[in-house]
Amino acid sequence: MNVVQNNLISIVVLFILFLGVIKQVDGKDPVYRSFLSLIILNCVMLVLELIVFSLNGIAGTWIYVIMNSASLMYHLLIPVILFMTFIFFDFHFHRTPHKPLWYIIPFGALFITNLVLVFMSVSNGSIFQLDAQNTFSKGTYYIYYELAIYVMFVLIFIHAVLQRKKVDHNTFVALALFTMPLTGTMILVAFADFMYVTWNAFMISMVISYLFIQLDITSTDYLTGLKNRRGFEYLLFNLDRSHVKNEKIIGIILDVDNFKTINDVYGHHVGDNALKTLGNILKSAVRMNDFVSRTGGDEFAIIIQSSDANVENVVVERIYKKLNEYNELMPNGFKLHVSIGSDAYDEHKHRSISSFFEYLDKEMYRDKNEQGRTI
């Protein structure tokens, strides 16, 4: 196994991922920030592995100091990476940097326990050993150490499984696939002589996440941050294939009344702000995992999967209420009015999900023709 070559390739790949993400995403988004942190930590672990592997078996006092320091830092960072992996997962479900502190307790206990075991290893070789010739090897209790790390990793994934209803299908698939390379590798490290593959596998997990990040970027509207037409069509395609039975599919189509007048009177930059404002109103009117998209121009679409038969009316009323609150203040000097077409999908009434939304589009224009508002 060419550890040096594998680790250098992994570092180059991670560097490319880092540049790709940092140039395309909002640096304040907690998901992307935690992803970038994991890339950096992954690179550090690969470098520490390179140091230990390259100096392994070379005699000398300074070599011992360097190898021992690298080994200590390597093992001290493991619970940090577990914690950041948890944060990366959890931010998919709760997109806010203000988190409850309950998870600090298990990770704090893990960090302290790990700290004691790692420093004890210098004298008793419990986790790793360095002999007189500076030969690095697994410690006496290394297999239990690896299994404990794996158990923590499994618990992180179980937490994600319990939260899966808070995210869309693609996001959960991305998180599930993230765990696969590491799962196989941890077993190999614990039970076979594969000491230098863990962080190469972690790099593969990062690549998998990056591919889904790219999918998210290409499916996101640059102006409002909502899903775009591509994301909307992709969801319709999947809903047509999935044949959802245990939940109702609620569709809402709406557009801004007299939007051209807003652009003509106040300018396109004000029109853009109006679209952003409406996007925020729509997001605040639905649950976190409900689908909200800007399908083009001033048109928006909402898709909700719910067992609640009354959810359509609740959401539409909530949209009108929030629009009325905005219009009472008129922060931009004009009122926002929308036309809406909404209904629950009925497989006996509509041939497909796509035809259902064509029907909603017609309902929206019927609503528009009945109103004839001006700003």
Side-chain angles (χ1 to χ4, degrees), residues 64-75:
Y64 173 82
V65 172
I66 293 171
M67 285 190 67
N68 205 39
S69 299
S71 300
L72 284 169
M73 186 179 296
Y74 177 92
H75 289 90

Side-chain angles (χ1 to χ4, degrees), residues 41 78 98 196 301 321:
L41 287 168
I78 287 175
H98 305 290
Y196 300 98
K321 179 183 176 183

Side-chain angles (χ1 to χ4, degrees), residues 28-65:
K28 296 180 181 179
D29 188 302
V31 171
Y32 298 139
R33 288 178 66 181
S34 56
F35 181 76
L36 291 171
S37 298
L38 283 175
I39 289 178
I40 294 170
L41 287 168
N42 197 172
C43 285
V44 170
M45 299 301 276
L46 288 164
V47 170
L48 292 173
E49 266 192 355
L50 276 175
I51 293 171
V52 172
F53 179 80
S54 301
L55 299 180
N56 193 27
I58 300 176
T61 303
W62 281 107
I63 299 297
Y64 173 82
V65 172

